[in-house]
């Protein structure tokens, strides 16, 4: 799978961009604040319909413009044409000329894995970040998962709104509780089944990076110990006091341990960075194994932050993508691009919202 063409209109600092990309390794060179990361963000947006920087659509519109357009041609087993437009008044998404009505039917048209400085939050951040990591991977690989996730989020919001009222509508609360229990039980099961599949990949990646210095362990820790419906009923008094739903997959956790101790509390900064990198490497390898084709790798100035040891553990993933005629986009400055990658690179110069072969 590779992105063969990218078209941007009024996206971030790009007024207009049309560019063709071959399979292989693309190095985006340039000073800071020139638009290198914006290219990666546009590609990731086409794959997931969200920015990896955690911002909304309004922040993606070029200053002075009404809306942005992002489109592209993806070549895999077939060819997919993606077009999306966002403005405060209008939002359109189409795949091969047809309006997308269900997001679950769209995801998978382009698969990407992004490596960026924000990945450190997978270890240091709240459980919500780690749950989102699992949910994205399941949305990319499990048909219908996104629909379940949306149903759960809707039931949770509705149930919490009821719990905030002075007088609770018991019949409505019970209805949302049934929906929450039915959907939530399935979400928990699918997440629990996923973790043992990616855990060996993450452990192996961490060993490569750390030279077997520590043992990484991933474990899914659900907030529900027995039955979600039973525990929802049992927690009703506490929920009314706190005016929110206190149990369910929205409270679950992905535990990350190094030598049986929580990595967030006891790991060094270097160890936390290595764990985050290992998790993303596991995501890429899992997608490759499941679909038989590597996802597009987006690497945002990460290599410059890695020491020689961590670079050497990361490079096999890039080499595997190269051997399988996959596609990699990496941003970096002229000074810190990794010489270990050799000379088989497509070099691009990024300057003030323009992209040209270097």
């Amino acid at each position: 799978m590779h992105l063969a063409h990218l078209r941007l209109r009024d996206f971030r600092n790009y007024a207009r961009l049309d560019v063709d990309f071959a399979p292989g390794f693309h190095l985006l060179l340039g000073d800071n604040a020139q638009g290198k990361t914006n290219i990666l963000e546009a590609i990731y947006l086409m794959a997931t319909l969200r920015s990896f920087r955690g911002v909304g659509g309004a922040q993606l519109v070029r200053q002075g413009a009404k809306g942005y357009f992002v489109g592209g041609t993806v070549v895999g087993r077939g060819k997919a044409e993606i077009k999306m437009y966002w403005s405060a008044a209008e939002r359109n998404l189409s795949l091969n000329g047809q309006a997308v009505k269900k997001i679950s039917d769209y995801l998978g048209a382009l698969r990407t894995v992004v490596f960026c400085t924000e990945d450190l939050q997978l270890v240091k951040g709240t459980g919500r970040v780690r749950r989102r990591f699992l949910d994205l991977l399941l949305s990319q690989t499990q048909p219908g998962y996104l629909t379940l996730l949306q149903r759960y989020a809707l039931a949770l919001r509705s149930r919490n709104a009821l719990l905030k009222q002075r007088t609770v509508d018991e019949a409505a609360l019970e209805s949302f509780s049934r929906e929450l229990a039915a959907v939530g039980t399935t979400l928990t099961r699918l997440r629990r089944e996923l973790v043992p599949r990616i855990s060996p990949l993450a452990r192996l990646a961490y060993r490569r990076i750390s030279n077997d210095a520590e043992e990484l362990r991933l474990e899914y820790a659900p907030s529900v110990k027995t039955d979600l419906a039973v525990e929802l009923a049992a927690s009703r008094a506490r929920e009314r006091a706190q005016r929110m739903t206190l149990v369910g997959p929205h409270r679950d956790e992905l535990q990350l341990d190094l030598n049986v101790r929580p990595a967030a509390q006891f790991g060094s900064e270097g160890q936390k960075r290595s764990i985050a990198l290992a998790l993303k490497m596991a995501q890429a390898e899992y997608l490759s194994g499941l679909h038989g084709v590597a996802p597009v790798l987006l690497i945002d100035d990460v290599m410059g932050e890695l020491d020689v040891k961590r670079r050497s553990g990361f490079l096999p993933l890039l080499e595997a993508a190269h051997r399988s005629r996959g596609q990699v986009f990496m941003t970096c400055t002229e000074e810190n691009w990794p010489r270990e990658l050799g000379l088989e690179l497509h070099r691009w110069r990024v300057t003030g919202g323009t992209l040209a072969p270097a």
Side-chain angles (χ1 to χ4, degrees):
M1 172 179 287
H2 75 278
L3 179 67
H5 184 79
L6 176 66
R7 171 176 289 184
L8 303 180
R9 299 290 186 269
D10 293 326
F11 181 84
R12 290 286 194 180
N13 67 333
Y14 288 88
R16 183 183 183 93
L17 177 71
D18 285 277
V19 59
D20 293 326
F21 294 118
F25 204 105
H26 296 266
L27 198 63
L28 307 180
L29 296 164
D31 296 332
N32 292 329
Q34 297 303 303
K36 302 188 302 294
T37 300
N38 296 343
I39 296 290
L40 271 57
E41 186 177 31
I43 298 171
Y44 188 81
L45 183 69
M46 283 195 293
T48 67
L49 305 181
R50 62 170 33 179
S51 164
F52 61 79
R53 289 157 149 172
V55 299
Q59 284 83 6
L60 304 178
V61 179
R62 190 171 65 91
Q63 188 173 7
K66 293 182 178 180
Y68 71 77
F69 173 88
V70 175
T73 303
V74 180
V75 177
R77 290 189 174 91
K79 185 180 285 188
E81 294 289 342
I82 296 170
K83 295 179 181 178
M84 61 175 66
Y85 175 79
W86 188 98
S87 73
E90 183 182 358
R91 296 167 199 189
N92 296 315
L93 174 66
S94 71
L95 180 63
N96 295 327
Q98 300 294 316
V100 174
K101 297 180 180 179
K102 293 173 61 179
I103 302 303
S104 56
D105 294 336
Y106 172 83
L107 291 180
L110 173 63
R111 287 183 292 273
T112 66
V113 175
V114 64
F115 297 80
C116 58
T117 54
E118 289 84 355
D119 291 343
L120 197 54
Q121 293 304 307
L122 283 169
V123 185
K124 298 174 68 173
T126 64
R128 181 185 179 189
V129 181
R130 290 177 286 279
R131 289 192 296 272
R132 187 181 296 163
F133 170 75
L134 296 176
D135 289 337
L136 175 60
L137 194 47
L138 283 165
S139 296
Q140 291 177 307
T141 58
Q142 189 78 34
Y145 184 83
L146 182 61
T147 300
L148 286 172
L149 201 61
Q150 292 169 330
R151 281 177 58 192
Y152 184 85
L154 178 60
L156 181 64
R157 283 195 303 269
S158 301
R159 194 174 187 275
N160 284 342
L162 284 173
L163 289 169
K164 286 177 170 58
Q165 296 177 1
R166 286 187 178 181
T167 304
V168 177
D169 183 332
E170 294 294 339
L173 187 66
E174 182 60 31
S175 174
F176 287 123
S177 295
R178 285 196 299 271
E179 171 77 352
L180 207 70
V183 179
T185 299
T186 303
L187 290 180
T188 298
R189 176 179 60 80
L190 292 171
R191 286 178 181 171
R192 196 198 295 265
E193 291 172 353
L194 173 66
V195 172
R197 296 171 187 158
I198 63 170
S199 182
L201 300 175
R203 288 201 306 269
L204 179 59
Y206 187 83
R207 283 202 295 268
R208 285 187 202 141
I209 298 167
S210 66
N211 291 331
D212 295 313
E214 305 90 18
E215 183 68 24
L216 173 65
R217 188 182 70 171
L218 279 62
E219 185 174 339
Y220 189 65
S223 63
V224 174
K225 306 307 177 188
T226 54
D227 180 89
L228 180 51
V230 172
E231 294 195 25
L232 280 171
S235 63
R236 189 68 58 87
R238 288 191 302 122
E239 288 183 334
R240 286 184 174 177
Q242 298 187 38
R243 297 184 172 188
M244 67 176 67
T245 304
L246 299 176
V247 294
H250 65 288
R251 292 294 189 96
D252 292 355
E253 179 61 277
L254 175 63
Q255 293 180 354
L256 305 172
D257 295 337
L258 278 183
N259 292 341
V260 201
R261 299 208 304 175
Q265 293 175 253
F266 297 100
S268 68
E269 285 300 300
Q271 289 171 328
K272 292 173 185 175
R273 197 174 296 281
S274 296
I275 293 171
L277 188 60
L279 288 173
K280 286 306 190 75
M281 291 172 66
Q283 179 186 1
E285 292 183 26
Y286 182 72
L287 288 172
S288 298
L290 201 63
H291 295 289
V293 59
V296 176
L297 303 183
L298 309 173
I299 305 167
D300 188 26
D301 211 16
V302 168
M303 295 297 281
E305 300 178 352
L306 302 179
D307 56 28
V308 174
K309 180 174 68 176
R310 291 188 180 89
R311 277 192 184 195
S312 64
F314 188 42
L315 287 174
L317 177 66
L318 305 183
E319 291 165 352
H322 178 70
R323 286 195 304 270
S324 65
R325 286 189 56 78
Q327 196 174 43
V328 180
F329 292 88
M330 176 184 285
T331 68
C332 54
T333 63
E334 190 79 59
E335 291 76 21
N336 73 2
W337 72 270
R339 310 289 174 179
E340 302 97 314
L341 293 173
L343 300 175
E344 295 184 41
L345 303 170
H346 302 279
R347 293 178 179 81
W348 301 87
R349 174 66 57 185
V350 182
T351 309
T354 63
L355 185 69

